[in-house]
Amino acid sequence: MSEDRILAAKAKIQRLLDANVIKEVKYSEWLENVELVPKKNGKMSMCIDFKDLNKACKKNPFPLPKIDVSVDKVAGCKHLSLLDCFSRYHQIWLNKEDDKKTSFTTPFETYCYIRMPEGLKNTGSTFARMTNVGLGPQLQKKHHSLC
């Protein structure tokens, strides 16, 4: 990695460590490399290709929600609460026995996710299931108590 990419990786790693999304790991069963890809704004995006792990995982068939149906269900409500979708998948903790499967290496250390990373086969369906567990009972009501 070039020096500017190493600096970008260190900054991203530090943000993830500070947010308690990743941890340092010494031994892992799985290991992926980090790629730093330039964004349109000139900054670098850190990407990890979990293709080998994804091949080994079963597909979670939980359906993703239809946005138009979800919006229609809350139409006319006086109050609306939004999930923290900025943090997206990082709100979901991984099982402790699975976290080392998300290990990745950088020029300076090896880490693994302790919260759900982007790029896994089932992140979307897991997030949809979590949202459904949290909001499903409210969205299923004929007359919302928030309306």
Side-chain angles (χ1 to χ4, degrees):
M1 263 189 213
S2 64
E3 188 62 33
D4 62 326
R5 289 179 184 226
I6 289 174
L7 291 174
K10 282 184 178 182
K12 176 67 174 182
I13 293 294
Q14 192 58 55
R15 283 194 302 276
L16 292 171
L17 286 168
D18 292 345
N20 199 30
V21 172
I22 63 171
K23 68 179 181 181
E24 193 175 310
V25 65
K26 295 295 180 196
Y27 306 102
S28 63
E29 302 169 34
W30 300 79
L31 190 61
E32 299 294 344
N33 290 313
V34 167
E35 289 282 329
L36 279 116
V37 180
K39 293 194 222 179
K40 291 180 183 178
N41 64 5
K43 294 183 179 182
M44 299 297 249
S45 178
M46 190 175 81
C47 302
I48 302 164
D49 187 357
F50 291 112
K51 68 178 167 251
D52 293 331
L53 180 58
N54 285 337
K55 285 179 190 175
C57 292
K58 292 180 182 177
K59 178 76 173 149
N60 180 346
F62 194 85
L64 297 178
K66 294 183 177 181
I67 300 302
D68 57 332
V69 173
S70 298
V71 170
D72 288 346
K73 285 183 178 183
V74 297
C77 290
K78 295 178 185 176
H79 303 280
L80 182 64
S81 176
L82 300 175
L83 289 174
D84 179 6
C85 288
F86 180 75
S87 298
R88 294 179 306 265
Y89 309 130
H90 295 326
Q91 298 170 92
I92 304 169
W93 291 88
L94 292 176
N95 290 328
K96 289 185 188 268
E97 62 271 9
D98 291 334
D99 60 7
K100 288 186 180 175
K101 294 174 184 170
T102 65
S103 296
F104 60 94
T105 187
T106 67
F108 40 90
E109 193 55 69
T110 301
Y111 302 91
C112 72
Y113 280 88
I114 53 178
R115 297 188 189 205
M116 183 81 65
E118 291 187 45
L120 293 180
K121 179 188 283 186
N122 293 314
T123 51
S125 56
T126 301
F127 187 75
R129 186 182 303 274
M130 181 200 73
T131 303
N132 194 53
V133 167
L135 298 178
Q138 186 64 36
L139 293 175
Q140 301 308 320
K141 290 182 181 180
K142 197 158 191 108
H143 299 287
H144 304 300
S145 60
L146 295 177
C147 293

